[in-house]
Coordinates of all heavy atoms in Angstrom, one line a residue:
D19 N 71.9 243.0 -4.2 CA 71.7 244.1 -5.0 C 71.1 243.7 -6.4 O 70.3 244.3 -6.9 CB 73.0 244.8 -5.3 CG 72.9 246.3 -5.3 OD1 71.8 246.8 -5.3 OD2 74.0 247.0 -5.3
G20 N 71.5 242.5 -6.9 CA 71.0 241.9 -8.1 C 69.5 241.6 -8.1 O 68.7 242.0 -8.8
E21 N 69.2 240.8 -7.0 CA 67.8 240.3 -6.9 C 66.9 241.4 -6.5 O 65.7 241.3 -6.8 CB 67.8 239.2 -5.7 CG 66.7 238.2 -5.9 CD 65.6 238.4 -4.9 OE1 65.7 239.3 -4.0 OE2 64.6 237.7 -5.0
Q22 N 67.4 242.5 -6.0 CA 66.5 243.6 -5.6 C 66.1 244.5 -6.8 O 65.3 245.3 -6.6 CB 67.2 244.4 -4.5 CG 66.2 244.9 -3.5 CD 66.9 245.4 -2.2 OE1 68.1 245.1 -2.0 NE2 66.1 246.1 -1.4
S23 N 66.7 244.2 -8.0 CA 66.3 245.0 -9.1 C 64.9 244.5 -9.5 O 64.6 243.3 -9.5 CB 67.3 244.9 -10.2 OG 67.2 243.7 -10.9
P24 N 64.0 245.6 -9.8 CA 62.6 245.2 -10.1 C 62.5 244.0 -11.1 O 63.1 244.2 -12.2 CB 62.1 246.5 -10.6 CG 63.0 247.5 -10.1 CD 64.3 246.9 -10.1
G25 N 61.8 243.0 -10.8 CA 61.6 241.9 -11.7 C 62.6 240.8 -11.6 O 62.3 239.7 -12.2
A26 N 63.6 240.9 -10.9 CA 64.6 239.9 -10.8 C 64.4 238.9 -9.7 O 65.3 238.2 -9.3 CB 66.0 240.5 -10.7
T27 N 63.3 239.0 -9.0 CA 63.0 238.2 -7.9 C 63.2 236.7 -8.1 O 62.8 236.2 -9.1 CB 61.5 238.3 -7.5 OG1 61.2 239.7 -7.7 CG2 61.2 238.0 -6.0
M28 N 63.9 236.1 -7.1 CA 64.1 234.6 -7.3 C 63.4 233.9 -6.2 O 63.2 234.4 -5.1 CB 65.6 234.3 -7.2 CG 66.5 235.0 -8.2 SD 68.3 234.7 -7.9 CE 68.9 236.1 -8.8
T29 N 63.1 232.6 -6.4 CA 62.5 231.8 -5.3 C 63.5 231.4 -4.3 O 64.7 231.5 -4.6 CB 61.8 230.6 -5.9 OG1 62.8 229.7 -6.4 CG2 60.8 230.9 -7.1
H30 N 63.0 230.9 -3.2 CA 63.9 230.5 -2.1 C 64.9 229.4 -2.7 O 66.1 229.5 -2.5 CB 63.0 229.9 -1.0 CG 63.8 229.3 0.1 ND1 64.2 230.1 1.1 CD2 64.2 228.1 0.4 CE1 64.9 229.4 2.0 NE2 64.9 228.1 1.7
D31 N 64.3 228.4 -3.4 CA 65.2 227.3 -3.9 C 66.2 227.8 -4.9 O 67.4 227.4 -4.9 CB 64.3 226.2 -4.5 CG 63.5 225.5 -3.4 OD1 63.9 225.7 -2.2 OD2 62.6 224.7 -3.8
E32 N 65.8 228.7 -5.7 CA 66.7 229.3 -6.7 C 67.8 230.1 -6.1 O 69.0 230.0 -6.4 CB 66.0 230.2 -7.6 CG 65.1 229.5 -8.6 CD 64.1 230.4 -9.3 OE1 63.8 231.5 -8.9 OE2 63.3 229.9 -10.2
K33 N 67.5 230.8 -4.9 CA 68.5 231.5 -4.2 C 69.6 230.6 -3.6 O 70.8 230.8 -3.7 CB 68.0 232.4 -3.1 CG 67.2 233.6 -3.6 CD 66.7 234.4 -2.4 CE 65.7 235.4 -2.9 NZ 65.1 236.1 -1.7
L34 N 69.1 229.5 -3.1 CA 70.0 228.5 -2.5 C 70.9 227.8 -3.6 O 72.1 227.6 -3.4 CB 69.1 227.3 -1.9 CG 69.2 227.3 -0.4 CD1 68.7 228.6 0.3 CD2 68.4 226.1 0.2
E35 N 70.3 227.6 -4.7 CA 71.1 227.0 -5.8 C 72.1 227.9 -6.2 O 73.3 227.6 -6.4 CB 70.1 226.6 -7.0 CG 70.9 225.9 -8.1 CD 70.2 226.0 -9.4 OE1 68.9 226.2 -9.4 OE2 70.8 225.8 -10.4
I36 N 71.8 229.2 -6.4 CA 72.8 230.2 -6.9 C 73.9 230.3 -5.9 O 75.1 230.4 -6.2 CB 72.1 231.6 -7.3 CG1 71.1 231.4 -8.4 CG2 73.2 232.6 -7.6 CD1 71.6 230.9 -9.8
A37 N 73.5 230.4 -4.6 CA 74.5 230.6 -3.6 C 75.5 229.4 -3.6 O 76.7 229.5 -3.5 CB 73.9 230.6 -2.2
G38 N 74.9 228.2 -3.8 CA 75.8 227.0 -3.9 C 76.8 227.1 -5.1 O 78.0 226.8 -4.9
L39 N 76.3 227.6 -6.2 CA 77.2 227.7 -7.4 C 78.3 228.8 -7.1 O 79.4 228.5 -7.5 CB 76.4 228.1 -8.6 CG 75.4 227.0 -9.1 CD1 74.6 227.5 -10.2 CD2 76.1 225.7 -9.6
L40 N 77.9 229.8 -6.4 CA 78.9 230.9 -6.1 C 79.9 230.4 -5.2 O 81.1 230.6 -5.4 CB 78.2 232.1 -5.5 CG 77.2 232.9 -6.3 CD1 76.4 233.9 -5.5 CD2 77.9 233.7 -7.4
D41 N 79.5 229.6 -4.2 CA 80.5 229.0 -3.3 C 81.4 228.1 -4.0 O 82.6 228.2 -3.8 CB 79.6 228.3 -2.2 CG 80.4 228.1 -0.9 OD1 81.6 228.0 -0.9 OD2 79.8 228.0 0.2
E42 N 80.8 227.3 -4.8 CA 81.6 226.3 -5.6 C 82.7 227.0 -6.5 O 83.7 226.5 -6.8 CB 80.7 225.5 -6.4 CG 80.8 224.0 -6.3 CD 79.7 223.4 -7.2 OE1 79.9 223.3 -8.4 OE2 78.6 223.2 -6.6
M43 N 82.3 228.1 -7.1 CA 83.2 228.8 -8.1 C 84.3 229.6 -7.4 O 85.1 230.2 -8.1 CB 82.4 229.6 -9.1 CG 82.1 231.1 -8.7 SD 81.0 231.9 -9.9 CE 82.2 232.0 -11.3
G44 N 84.2 229.7 -6.0 CA 85.3 230.3 -5.3 C 85.0 231.8 -5.0 O 86.0 232.5 -4.6
V45 N 83.7 232.2 -5.0 CA 83.4 233.6 -4.5 C 83.8 233.7 -3.0 O 83.5 232.8 -2.2 CB 81.9 233.8 -4.8 CG1 81.4 235.0 -3.9 CG2 81.7 234.1 -6.3
D46 N 84.5 234.7 -2.7 CA 85.0 234.9 -1.3 C 83.9 235.2 -0.3 O 83.8 234.7 0.7 CB 86.1 236.0 -1.3 CG 87.3 235.5 -2.1 OD1 88.0 234.6 -1.7 OD2 87.5 236.3 -3.1
I47 N 83.0 236.2 -0.8 CA 81.9 236.6 0.1 C 80.7 236.7 -0.7 O 80.6 237.3 -1.8 CB 82.2 238.1 0.7 CG1 83.6 238.1 1.4 CG2 81.1 238.5 1.6 CD1 84.7 238.9 0.6
I48 N 79.6 236.1 -0.2 CA 78.3 236.0 -0.8 C 77.4 237.0 0.0 O 77.2 236.7 1.1 CB 77.7 234.6 -1.0 CG1 78.6 233.7 -1.7 CG2 76.3 234.7 -1.5 CD1 78.2 232.3 -1.7
E49 N 76.9 238.0 -0.6 CA 75.9 238.9 0.1 C 74.6 238.1 -0.2 O 74.0 238.3 -1.4 CB 75.9 240.3 -0.4 CG 75.0 241.2 0.5 CD 75.3 242.6 0.4 OE1 75.3 243.1 -0.8 OE2 75.4 243.3 1.4
A50 N 74.0 237.5 0.7 CA 72.9 236.6 0.5 C 71.5 237.2 0.5 O 70.6 236.7 0.1 CB 73.0 235.4 1.4
G51 N 71.5 238.4 1.0 CA 70.2 239.1 1.0 C 70.2 240.2 2.1 O 71.2 240.6 2.7
F52 N 68.9 240.7 2.4 CA 68.7 241.8 3.3 C 67.7 241.2 4.3 O 66.4 241.4 4.1 CB 68.2 242.9 2.4 CG 67.8 244.2 3.2 CD1 68.4 244.6 4.3 CD2 66.8 245.0 2.6 CE1 68.0 245.8 4.9 CE2 66.5 246.2 3.2 CZ 67.0 246.6 4.4
P53 N 68.1 240.6 5.4 CA 67.3 239.8 6.2 C 66.0 240.5 6.8 O 65.0 239.9 6.9 CB 68.2 239.3 7.3 CG 69.6 239.3 6.7 CD 69.6 240.4 5.8
I54 N 66.1 241.8 7.1 CA 64.9 242.4 7.6 C 63.9 242.8 6.6 O 62.7 243.0 6.9 CB 65.3 243.7 8.5 CG1 64.1 243.9 9.5 CG2 65.5 244.9 7.6 CD1 64.6 244.7 10.8
A55 N 64.2 242.6 5.3 CA 63.3 243.1 4.2 C 62.1 242.3 4.2 O 60.9 242.8 4.0 CB 64.0 243.0 2.9
S56 N 62.1 241.0 4.5 CA 60.9 240.1 4.4 C 61.2 238.8 5.1 O 62.5 238.5 5.3 CB 60.5 239.8 3.0 OG 61.4 239.1 2.3
E57 N 60.2 238.1 5.4 CA 60.4 236.7 6.1 C 61.2 235.9 5.0 O 62.1 235.1 5.4 CB 59.0 236.2 6.3 CG 58.9 235.1 7.3 CD 59.7 235.3 8.6 OE1 59.7 236.4 9.1 OE2 60.2 234.3 9.1
G58 N 60.9 236.0 3.7 CA 61.5 235.2 2.7 C 63.0 235.5 2.6 O 63.8 234.6 2.5
D59 N 63.3 236.7 2.7 CA 64.7 237.1 2.7 C 65.5 236.5 3.9 O 66.6 236.0 3.7 CB 65.0 238.6 2.6 CG 65.5 239.2 1.3 OD1 64.9 238.7 0.3 OD2 66.4 239.9 1.3
F60 N 64.9 236.7 5.0 CA 65.5 236.2 6.3 C 65.7 234.6 6.1 O 66.9 234.2 6.5 CB 64.6 236.4 7.5 CG 65.1 235.9 8.7 CD1 66.1 236.6 9.4 CD2 64.6 234.6 9.3 CE1 66.6 236.0 10.6 CE2 65.2 234.2 10.4 CZ 66.2 234.8 11.1
K61 N 64.7 233.9 5.7 CA 64.9 232.4 5.6 C 65.9 232.1 4.6 O 66.8 231.2 4.8 CB 63.5 231.8 5.1 CG 62.5 231.8 6.3 CD 61.4 230.7 5.9 CE 60.3 230.8 7.0 NZ 59.0 231.0 6.5
A62 N 66.0 232.8 3.5 CA 67.0 232.5 2.4 C 68.3 232.7 3.0 O 69.3 231.9 2.8 CB 66.7 233.3 1.2
V63 N 68.6 233.8 3.7 CA 69.9 234.2 4.1 C 70.3 233.1 5.2 O 71.4 232.6 5.2 CB 70.0 235.6 4.8 CG1 71.4 235.8 5.3 CG2 69.7 236.6 3.7
S64 N 69.4 232.7 6.1 CA 69.7 231.7 7.1 C 70.1 230.4 6.5 O 71.1 229.8 6.9 CB 68.5 231.5 8.0 OG 67.9 232.6 8.5
E65 N 69.3 230.0 5.5 CA 69.5 228.7 4.9 C 70.8 228.7 4.1 O 71.6 227.8 4.2 CB 68.4 228.4 3.9 CG 68.1 227.0 3.6 CD 67.5 226.3 4.8 OE1 66.9 226.9 5.7 OE2 67.6 225.0 4.8
I66 N 71.1 229.8 3.4 CA 72.4 229.9 2.7 C 73.5 229.9 3.7 O 74.6 229.2 3.4 CB 72.4 231.2 1.8 CG1 71.4 231.1 0.6 CG2 73.8 231.5 1.3 CD1 71.1 232.4 -0.1
A67 N 73.4 230.5 4.8 CA 74.4 230.5 5.8 C 74.7 229.1 6.3 O 75.8 228.6 6.4 CB 74.0 231.4 7.0
K68 N 73.6 228.4 6.6 CA 73.7 227.0 7.1 C 74.4 226.1 6.0 O 75.2 225.2 6.4 CB 72.4 226.4 7.4 CG 71.8 227.0 8.7 CD 70.4 226.3 9.0 CE 69.7 227.2 9.9 NZ 68.2 227.1 9.9

Side-chain angles (χ1 to χ4, degrees):
D19 221 349
E21 207 254 353
Q22 217 161 345
S23 77
T27 321
M28 301 176 200
T29 65
H30 180 83
D31 290 348
E32 287 164 351
K33 288 182 190 173
L34 250 61
E35 182 199 340
I36 299 298
L39 295 174
L40 291 169
D41 202 331
E42 234 176 81
M43 87 185 293
V45 162
D46 298 293
I47 305 111
I48 298 174
E49 188 163 50
F52 177 30
I54 205 155
S56 70
E57 200 48 36
D59 249 45
F60 177 80
K61 283 197 185 128
V63 178
S64 312
E65 204 71 20
I66 290 169
K68 284 178 197 156

